[in-house]
Amino acid sequence: MQRQKVAELGARWGQREIEESGPITFIGSGANLNEATENGLRRAAGVTGLAYEEVLNRATITGSIDISRLPGTVRVTFLCPLAILDRMGIGRLVREKYELE
């Protein structure tokens, strides 16, 4: 039912494809928050194969960059395409956990 609603909303705005995605989080660390943020984004880019700029964009729009309790540590969370999560070997786990598909 939710997929149908998403498709209807997308069609209303001319969106033909709806990306299937799930959440993923990376930890970044550094001497300060700026370094920790860059480290977390670079780790995410390296593991997923997405460009650094795309990871930054996804974290900004579909996720978050949270300051962790430890100084110089952040959590970078974003919605990642399921095809990438599958390639990483965790797609099944994400689908089960978040009841996707």
mmCIF file of all heavy atoms in Angstrom, residues 31-75:
data_model
loop_
_atom_site.group_PDB
_atom_site.id
_atom_site.type_symbol
_atom_site.label_atom_id
_atom_site.label_comp_id
_atom_site.label_asym_id
_atom_site.label_seq_id
_atom_site.Cartn_x
_atom_site.Cartn_y
_atom_site.Cartn_z
ATOM 1 N N ALA A 31 40.386 14.638 15.043
ATOM 2 C CA ALA A 31 40.823 15.524 16.122
ATOM 3 C C ALA A 31 39.748 16.530 16.509
ATOM 4 O O ALA A 31 39.725 17.027 17.633
ATOM 5 C CB ALA A 31 42.095 16.257 15.706
ATOM 6 N N ASN A 32 38.849 16.833 15.563
ATOM 7 C CA ASN A 32 37.745 17.751 15.834
ATOM 8 C C ASN A 32 36.531 17.301 15.019
ATOM 9 O O ASN A 32 36.614 16.342 14.243
ATOM 10 C CB ASN A 32 38.147 19.194 15.521
ATOM 11 C CG ASN A 32 38.604 19.353 14.089
ATOM 12 O OD1 ASN A 32 37.900 18.972 13.151
ATOM 13 N ND2 ASN A 32 39.799 19.915 13.901
ATOM 14 N N LEU A 33 35.421 17.998 15.170
ATOM 15 C CA LEU A 33 34.195 17.571 14.490
ATOM 16 C C LEU A 33 34.279 17.679 12.976
ATOM 17 O O LEU A 33 33.722 16.847 12.263
ATOM 18 C CB LEU A 33 32.998 18.358 15.012
ATOM 19 C CG LEU A 33 32.577 18.014 16.438
ATOM 20 C CD1 LEU A 33 31.436 18.915 16.887
ATOM 21 C CD2 LEU A 33 32.172 16.554 16.545
ATOM 22 N N ASN A 34 34.975 18.688 12.473
ATOM 23 C CA ASN A 34 35.123 18.802 11.020
ATOM 24 C C ASN A 34 35.880 17.615 10.440
ATOM 25 O O ASN A 34 35.479 17.038 9.426
ATOM 26 C CB ASN A 34 35.819 20.114 10.639
ATOM 27 C CG ASN A 34 34.942 21.318 10.864
ATOM 28 O OD1 ASN A 34 33.718 21.218 10.855
ATOM 29 N ND2 ASN A 34 35.562 22.469 11.082
ATOM 30 N N GLU A 35 36.976 17.239 11.085
ATOM 31 C CA GLU A 35 37.744 16.084 10.622
ATOM 32 C C GLU A 35 36.943 14.793 10.771
ATOM 33 O O GLU A 35 36.994 13.925 9.908
ATOM 34 C CB GLU A 35 39.059 15.966 11.394
ATOM 35 C CG GLU A 35 40.077 17.018 11.019
ATOM 36 C CD GLU A 35 41.383 16.863 11.777
ATOM 37 O OE1 GLU A 35 41.637 15.779 12.355
ATOM 38 O OE2 GLU A 35 42.152 17.845 11.788
ATOM 39 N N ALA A 36 36.221 14.672 11.869
ATOM 40 C CA ALA A 36 35.401 13.475 12.085
ATOM 41 C C ALA A 36 34.310 13.362 11.024
ATOM 42 O O ALA A 36 34.044 12.271 10.506
ATOM 43 C CB ALA A 36 34.782 13.514 13.478
ATOM 44 N N THR A 37 33.696 14.479 10.673
ATOM 45 C CA THR A 37 32.646 14.473 9.653
ATOM 46 C C THR A 37 33.222 14.066 8.304
ATOM 47 O O THR A 37 32.673 13.192 7.621
ATOM 48 C CB THR A 37 31.983 15.857 9.562
ATOM 49 O OG1 THR A 37 31.400 16.171 10.823
ATOM 50 C CG2 THR A 37 30.917 15.883 8.485
ATOM 51 N N GLU A 38 34.319 14.656 7.926
ATOM 52 C CA GLU A 38 34.946 14.294 6.651
ATOM 53 C C GLU A 38 35.364 12.832 6.651
ATOM 54 O O GLU A 38 35.174 12.124 5.662
ATOM 55 C CB GLU A 38 36.151 15.185 6.361
ATOM 56 C CG GLU A 38 36.771 14.874 5.012
ATOM 57 C CD GLU A 38 37.897 15.810 4.620
ATOM 58 O OE1 GLU A 38 38.055 16.871 5.242
ATOM 59 O OE2 GLU A 38 38.611 15.463 3.666
ATOM 60 N N ASN A 39 35.904 12.355 7.761
ATOM 61 C CA ASN A 39 36.314 10.959 7.875
ATOM 62 C C ASN A 39 35.123 10.018 7.702
ATOM 63 O O ASN A 39 35.197 9.036 6.961
ATOM 64 C CB ASN A 39 36.998 10.731 9.230
ATOM 65 C CG ASN A 39 37.359 9.287 9.458
ATOM 66 O OD1 ASN A 39 36.655 8.590 10.188
ATOM 67 N ND2 ASN A 39 38.445 8.833 8.847
ATOM 68 N N GLY A 40 34.005 10.323 8.354
ATOM 69 C CA GLY A 40 32.814 9.486 8.232
ATOM 70 C C GLY A 40 32.254 9.478 6.823
ATOM 71 O O GLY A 40 31.865 8.426 6.299
ATOM 72 N N LEU A 41 32.228 10.640 6.184
ATOM 73 C CA LEU A 41 31.747 10.729 4.808
ATOM 74 C C LEU A 41 32.659 9.972 3.851
ATOM 75 O O LEU A 41 32.201 9.276 2.949
ATOM 76 C CB LEU A 41 31.629 12.195 4.387
ATOM 77 C CG LEU A 41 30.553 13.009 5.106
ATOM 78 C CD1 LEU A 41 30.744 14.504 4.839
ATOM 79 C CD2 LEU A 41 29.162 12.560 4.694
ATOM 80 N N ARG A 42 33.962 10.088 4.057
ATOM 81 C CA ARG A 42 34.921 9.373 3.194
ATOM 82 C C ARG A 42 34.824 7.856 3.405
ATOM 83 O O ARG A 42 34.917 7.086 2.447
ATOM 84 C CB ARG A 42 36.332 9.867 3.426
ATOM 85 C CG ARG A 42 36.519 11.286 2.939
ATOM 86 C CD ARG A 42 37.934 11.625 2.545
ATOM 87 N NE ARG A 42 38.026 13.014 2.132
ATOM 88 C CZ ARG A 42 37.645 13.490 0.951
ATOM 89 N NH1 ARG A 42 37.137 12.671 0.055
ATOM 90 N NH2 ARG A 42 37.764 14.782 0.657
ATOM 91 N N ARG A 43 34.645 7.432 4.638
ATOM 92 C CA ARG A 43 34.456 6.004 4.896
ATOM 93 C C ARG A 43 33.215 5.493 4.167
ATOM 94 O O ARG A 43 33.244 4.441 3.532
ATOM 95 C CB ARG A 43 34.308 5.739 6.389
ATOM 96 C CG ARG A 43 35.588 5.788 7.148
ATOM 97 C CD ARG A 43 35.370 5.534 8.618
ATOM 98 N NE ARG A 43 36.661 5.507 9.310
ATOM 99 C CZ ARG A 43 36.802 5.486 10.608
ATOM 100 N NH1 ARG A 43 35.741 5.481 11.401
ATOM 101 N NH2 ARG A 43 37.998 5.475 11.151
ATOM 102 N N ALA A 44 32.123 6.244 4.274
ATOM 103 C CA ALA A 44 30.883 5.847 3.615
ATOM 104 C C ALA A 44 31.074 5.785 2.099
ATOM 105 O O ALA A 44 30.616 4.834 1.445
ATOM 106 C CB ALA A 44 29.763 6.818 3.972
ATOM 107 N N ALA A 45 31.752 6.771 1.543
ATOM 108 C CA ALA A 45 31.996 6.784 0.101
ATOM 109 C C ALA A 45 32.851 5.588 -0.312
ATOM 110 O O ALA A 45 32.560 4.916 -1.310
ATOM 111 C CB ALA A 45 32.661 8.093 -0.306
ATOM 112 N N GLY A 46 33.877 5.308 0.465
ATOM 113 C CA GLY A 46 34.767 4.193 0.137
ATOM 114 C C GLY A 46 34.079 2.839 0.181
ATOM 115 O O GLY A 46 34.290 1.995 -0.693
ATOM 116 N N VAL A 47 33.243 2.642 1.171
ATOM 117 C CA VAL A 47 32.565 1.345 1.324
ATOM 118 C C VAL A 47 31.446 1.164 0.309
ATOM 119 O O VAL A 47 31.276 0.089 -0.262
ATOM 120 C CB VAL A 47 32.029 1.173 2.768
ATOM 121 C CG1 VAL A 47 31.150 -0.049 2.890
ATOM 122 C CG2 VAL A 47 33.191 1.092 3.751
ATOM 123 N N THR A 48 30.672 2.221 0.072
ATOM 124 C CA THR A 48 29.517 2.109 -0.819
ATOM 125 C C THR A 48 29.878 2.274 -2.289
ATOM 126 O O THR A 48 29.149 1.810 -3.165
ATOM 127 C CB THR A 48 28.445 3.169 -0.490
ATOM 128 O OG1 THR A 48 29.003 4.472 -0.691
ATOM 129 C CG2 THR A 48 27.930 3.005 0.925
ATOM 130 N N GLY A 49 30.990 2.951 -2.568
ATOM 131 C CA GLY A 49 31.347 3.236 -3.950
ATOM 132 C C GLY A 49 30.676 4.489 -4.489
ATOM 133 O O GLY A 49 30.843 4.838 -5.657
ATOM 134 N N LEU A 50 29.909 5.182 -3.643
ATOM 135 C CA LEU A 50 29.292 6.442 -4.041
ATOM 136 C C LEU A 50 30.333 7.553 -3.954
ATOM 137 O O LEU A 50 31.275 7.468 -3.166
ATOM 138 C CB LEU A 50 28.113 6.780 -3.115
ATOM 139 C CG LEU A 50 26.927 5.829 -3.135
ATOM 140 C CD1 LEU A 50 25.972 6.140 -1.987
ATOM 141 C CD2 LEU A 50 26.211 5.900 -4.471
ATOM 142 N N ALA A 51 30.154 8.591 -4.737
ATOM 143 C CA ALA A 51 31.048 9.747 -4.662
ATOM 144 C C ALA A 51 30.880 10.434 -3.306
ATOM 145 O O ALA A 51 29.791 10.431 -2.730
ATOM 146 C CB ALA A 51 30.734 10.729 -5.788
ATOM 147 N N TYR A 52 31.953 11.036 -2.813
ATOM 148 C CA TYR A 52 31.927 11.766 -1.544
ATOM 149 C C TYR A 52 30.783 12.779 -1.533
ATOM 150 O O TYR A 52 30.035 12.874 -0.568
ATOM 151 C CB TYR A 52 33.278 12.459 -1.344
ATOM 152 C CG TYR A 52 33.363 13.346 -0.131
ATOM 153 C CD1 TYR A 52 33.780 12.830 1.092
ATOM 154 C CD2 TYR A 52 33.032 14.698 -0.200
ATOM 155 C CE1 TYR A 52 33.872 13.643 2.223
ATOM 156 C CE2 TYR A 52 33.117 15.515 0.913
ATOM 157 C CZ TYR A 52 33.538 14.986 2.120
ATOM 158 O OH TYR A 52 33.617 15.780 3.228
ATOM 159 N N GLU A 53 30.650 13.527 -2.626
ATOM 160 C CA GLU A 53 29.616 14.564 -2.713
ATOM 161 C C GLU A 53 28.216 13.959 -2.638
ATOM 162 O O GLU A 53 27.307 14.555 -2.062
ATOM 163 C CB GLU A 53 29.776 15.379 -4.001
ATOM 164 C CG GLU A 53 31.036 16.210 -4.050
ATOM 165 C CD GLU A 53 32.302 15.418 -4.398
ATOM 166 O OE1 GLU A 53 32.198 14.219 -4.781
ATOM 167 O OE2 GLU A 53 33.394 15.988 -4.259
ATOM 168 N N GLU A 54 28.043 12.789 -3.237
ATOM 169 C CA GLU A 54 26.725 12.147 -3.181
ATOM 170 C C GLU A 54 26.418 11.671 -1.772
ATOM 171 O O GLU A 54 25.283 11.802 -1.298
ATOM 172 C CB GLU A 54 26.623 10.979 -4.160
ATOM 173 C CG GLU A 54 25.246 10.356 -4.141
ATOM 174 C CD GLU A 54 24.994 9.327 -5.217
ATOM 175 O OE1 GLU A 54 25.860 9.131 -6.093
ATOM 176 O OE2 GLU A 54 23.917 8.708 -5.163
ATOM 177 N N VAL A 55 27.404 11.128 -1.085
ATOM 178 C CA VAL A 55 27.199 10.709 0.304
ATOM 179 C C VAL A 55 26.828 11.925 1.151
ATOM 180 O O VAL A 55 25.885 11.867 1.952
ATOM 181 C CB VAL A 55 28.446 9.997 0.873
ATOM 182 C CG1 VAL A 55 28.300 9.747 2.365
ATOM 183 C CG2 VAL A 55 28.691 8.681 0.138
ATOM 184 N N LEU A 56 27.529 13.031 0.967
ATOM 185 C CA LEU A 56 27.224 14.256 1.701
ATOM 186 C C LEU A 56 25.795 14.710 1.412
ATOM 187 O O LEU A 56 25.043 15.049 2.333
ATOM 188 C CB LEU A 56 28.219 15.360 1.330
ATOM 189 C CG LEU A 56 27.980 16.745 1.937
ATOM 190 C CD1 LEU A 56 27.973 16.682 3.459
ATOM 191 C CD2 LEU A 56 29.027 17.723 1.422
ATOM 192 N N ASN A 57 25.407 14.681 0.151
ATOM 193 C CA ASN A 57 24.060 15.073 -0.234
ATOM 194 C C ASN A 57 23.013 14.145 0.385
ATOM 195 O O ASN A 57 22.012 14.600 0.942
ATOM 196 C CB ASN A 57 23.945 15.075 -1.763
ATOM 197 C CG ASN A 57 22.646 15.659 -2.235
ATOM 198 O OD1 ASN A 57 22.220 16.705 -1.775
ATOM 199 N ND2 ASN A 57 22.003 14.978 -3.166
ATOM 200 N N ARG A 58 23.245 12.846 0.310
ATOM 201 C CA ARG A 58 22.291 11.882 0.870
ATOM 202 C C ARG A 58 22.179 12.038 2.389
ATOM 203 O O ARG A 58 21.090 11.963 2.941
ATOM 204 C CB ARG A 58 22.690 10.454 0.505
ATOM 205 C CG ARG A 58 22.422 10.108 -0.939
ATOM 206 C CD ARG A 58 22.916 8.692 -1.273
ATOM 207 N NE ARG A 58 22.595 8.336 -2.628
ATOM 208 C CZ ARG A 58 21.448 7.796 -3.016
ATOM 209 N NH1 ARG A 58 20.503 7.532 -2.132
ATOM 210 N NH2 ARG A 58 21.235 7.500 -4.281
ATOM 211 N N ALA A 59 23.303 12.253 3.056
ATOM 212 C CA ALA A 59 23.260 12.433 4.516
ATOM 213 C C ALA A 59 22.507 13.715 4.874
ATOM 214 O O ALA A 59 21.783 13.756 5.874
ATOM 215 C CB ALA A 59 24.674 12.464 5.088
ATOM 216 N N THR A 60 22.643 14.734 4.050
ATOM 217 C CA THR A 60 21.962 15.999 4.301
ATOM 218 C C THR A 60 20.461 15.888 4.060
ATOM 219 O O THR A 60 19.659 16.382 4.843
ATOM 220 C CB THR A 60 22.560 17.105 3.400
ATOM 221 O OG1 THR A 60 23.949 17.223 3.690
ATOM 222 C CG2 THR A 60 21.872 18.433 3.633
ATOM 223 N N ILE A 61 20.066 15.212 2.980
ATOM 224 C CA ILE A 61 18.661 15.179 2.568
ATOM 225 C C ILE A 61 17.898 13.995 3.161
ATOM 226 O O ILE A 61 16.757 14.149 3.606
ATOM 227 C CB ILE A 61 18.555 15.180 1.032
ATOM 228 C CG1 ILE A 61 19.092 16.505 0.496
ATOM 229 C CG2 ILE A 61 17.116 14.960 0.573
ATOM 230 C CD1 ILE A 61 19.234 16.575 -0.986
ATOM 231 N N THR A 62 18.504 12.813 3.173
ATOM 232 C CA THR A 62 17.770 11.611 3.616
ATOM 233 C C THR A 62 18.307 11.014 4.900
ATOM 234 O O THR A 62 17.956 9.889 5.252
ATOM 235 C CB THR A 62 17.788 10.507 2.528
ATOM 236 O OG1 THR A 62 19.128 9.970 2.426
ATOM 237 C CG2 THR A 62 17.339 11.031 1.193
ATOM 238 N N GLY A 63 19.175 11.718 5.586
ATOM 239 C CA GLY A 63 19.766 11.151 6.791
ATOM 240 C C GLY A 63 20.192 12.224 7.761
ATOM 241 O O GLY A 63 19.509 13.229 7.928
ATOM 242 N N SER A 64 21.369 12.001 8.352
ATOM 243 C CA SER A 64 21.858 12.969 9.328
ATOM 244 C C SER A 64 23.345 12.755 9.577
ATOM 245 O O SER A 64 23.902 11.702 9.278
ATOM 246 C CB SER A 64 21.108 12.814 10.651
ATOM 247 O OG SER A 64 21.348 11.532 11.200
ATOM 248 N N ILE A 65 23.962 13.781 10.107
ATOM 249 C CA ILE A 65 25.320 13.683 10.628
ATOM 250 C C ILE A 65 25.206 14.113 12.081
ATOM 251 O O ILE A 65 24.942 15.280 12.376
ATOM 252 C CB ILE A 65 26.306 14.565 9.844
ATOM 253 C CG1 ILE A 65 26.349 14.125 8.376
ATOM 254 C CG2 ILE A 65 27.694 14.500 10.482
ATOM 255 C CD1 ILE A 65 27.167 15.017 7.477
ATOM 256 N N ASP A 66 25.335 13.151 12.986
ATOM 257 C CA ASP A 66 25.110 13.392 14.411
ATOM 258 C C ASP A 66 26.420 13.390 15.175
ATOM 259 O O ASP A 66 27.284 12.545 14.936
ATOM 260 C CB ASP A 66 24.207 12.305 14.989
ATOM 261 C CG ASP A 66 22.864 12.228 14.295
ATOM 262 O OD1 ASP A 66 22.207 13.280 14.192
ATOM 263 O OD2 ASP A 66 22.486 11.133 13.849
ATOM 264 N N ILE A 67 26.532 14.306 16.101
ATOM 265 C CA ILE A 67 27.686 14.338 16.991
ATOM 266 C C ILE A 67 27.503 13.229 18.020
ATOM 267 O O ILE A 67 26.467 13.145 18.674
ATOM 268 C CB ILE A 67 27.806 15.706 17.684
ATOM 269 C CG1 ILE A 67 27.969 16.811 16.644
ATOM 270 C CG2 ILE A 67 28.956 15.705 18.686
ATOM 271 C CD1 ILE A 67 27.846 18.207 17.209
ATOM 272 N N SER A 68 28.505 12.393 18.149
ATOM 273 C CA SER A 68 28.441 11.310 19.125
ATOM 274 C C SER A 68 28.895 11.815 20.486
ATOM 275 O O SER A 68 29.364 12.941 20.627
ATOM 276 C CB SER A 68 29.327 10.146 18.671
ATOM 277 O OG SER A 68 28.827 9.593 17.476
ATOM 278 N N ARG A 69 28.762 10.966 21.462
ATOM 279 C CA ARG A 69 29.132 11.369 22.829
ATOM 280 C C ARG A 69 30.623 11.584 22.999
ATOM 281 O O ARG A 69 31.050 12.402 23.794
ATOM 282 C CB ARG A 69 28.653 10.314 23.827
ATOM 283 C CG ARG A 69 27.154 10.299 23.938
ATOM 284 C CD ARG A 69 26.710 9.266 24.936
ATOM 285 N NE ARG A 69 25.269 9.265 25.012
ATOM 286 C CZ ARG A 69 24.599 9.423 26.119
ATOM 287 N NH1 ARG A 69 25.219 9.556 27.255
ATOM 288 N NH2 ARG A 69 23.282 9.427 26.105
ATOM 289 N N LEU A 70 31.412 10.839 22.252
ATOM 290 C CA LEU A 70 32.859 10.993 22.371
ATOM 291 C C LEU A 70 33.326 12.196 21.560
ATOM 292 O O LEU A 70 32.850 12.418 20.449
ATOM 293 C CB LEU A 70 33.561 9.734 21.855
ATOM 294 C CG LEU A 70 33.231 8.451 22.622
ATOM 295 C CD1 LEU A 70 33.857 7.257 21.929
ATOM 296 C CD2 LEU A 70 33.716 8.547 24.050
ATOM 297 N N PRO A 71 34.247 13.001 22.076
ATOM 298 C CA PRO A 71 34.739 14.148 21.317
ATOM 299 C C PRO A 71 35.397 13.698 20.007
ATOM 300 O O PRO A 71 36.102 12.692 19.977
ATOM 301 C CB PRO A 71 35.784 14.769 22.244
ATOM 302 C CG PRO A 71 35.512 14.204 23.592
ATOM 303 C CD PRO A 71 34.864 12.875 23.380
ATOM 304 N N GLY A 72 35.117 14.431 18.932
ATOM 305 C CA GLY A 72 35.727 14.096 17.647
ATOM 306 C C GLY A 72 35.146 12.860 17.003
ATOM 307 O O GLY A 72 35.820 12.201 16.215
ATOM 308 N N THR A 73 33.903 12.529 17.321
ATOM 309 C CA THR A 73 33.253 11.348 16.752
ATOM 310 C C THR A 73 31.861 11.739 16.248
ATOM 311 O O THR A 73 31.134 12.445 16.936
ATOM 312 C CB THR A 73 33.113 10.228 17.802
ATOM 313 O OG1 THR A 73 34.396 9.972 18.376
ATOM 314 C CG2 THR A 73 32.587 8.951 17.176
ATOM 315 N N VAL A 74 31.530 11.282 15.026
ATOM 316 C CA VAL A 74 30.207 11.541 14.459
ATOM 317 C C VAL A 74 29.626 10.251 13.895
ATOM 318 O O VAL A 74 30.350 9.284 13.641
ATOM 319 C CB VAL A 74 30.245 12.613 13.339
ATOM 320 C CG1 VAL A 74 30.759 13.940 13.850
ATOM 321 C CG2 VAL A 74 31.043 12.139 12.146
ATOM 322 N N ARG A 75 28.294 10.271 13.711
ATOM 323 C CA ARG A 75 27.589 9.181 13.027
ATOM 324 C C ARG A 75 27.007 9.761 11.741
ATOM 325 O O ARG A 75 26.264 10.738 11.775
ATOM 326 C CB ARG A 75 26.457 8.631 13.890
ATOM 327 C CG ARG A 75 26.928 7.878 15.106
ATOM 328 C CD ARG A 75 25.764 7.268 15.881
ATOM 329 N NE ARG A 75 24.651 8.179 16.077
ATOM 330 C CZ ARG A 75 24.466 8.940 17.151
ATOM 331 N NH1 ARG A 75 25.316 8.892 18.150
ATOM 332 N NH2 ARG A 75 23.425 9.745 17.251
#
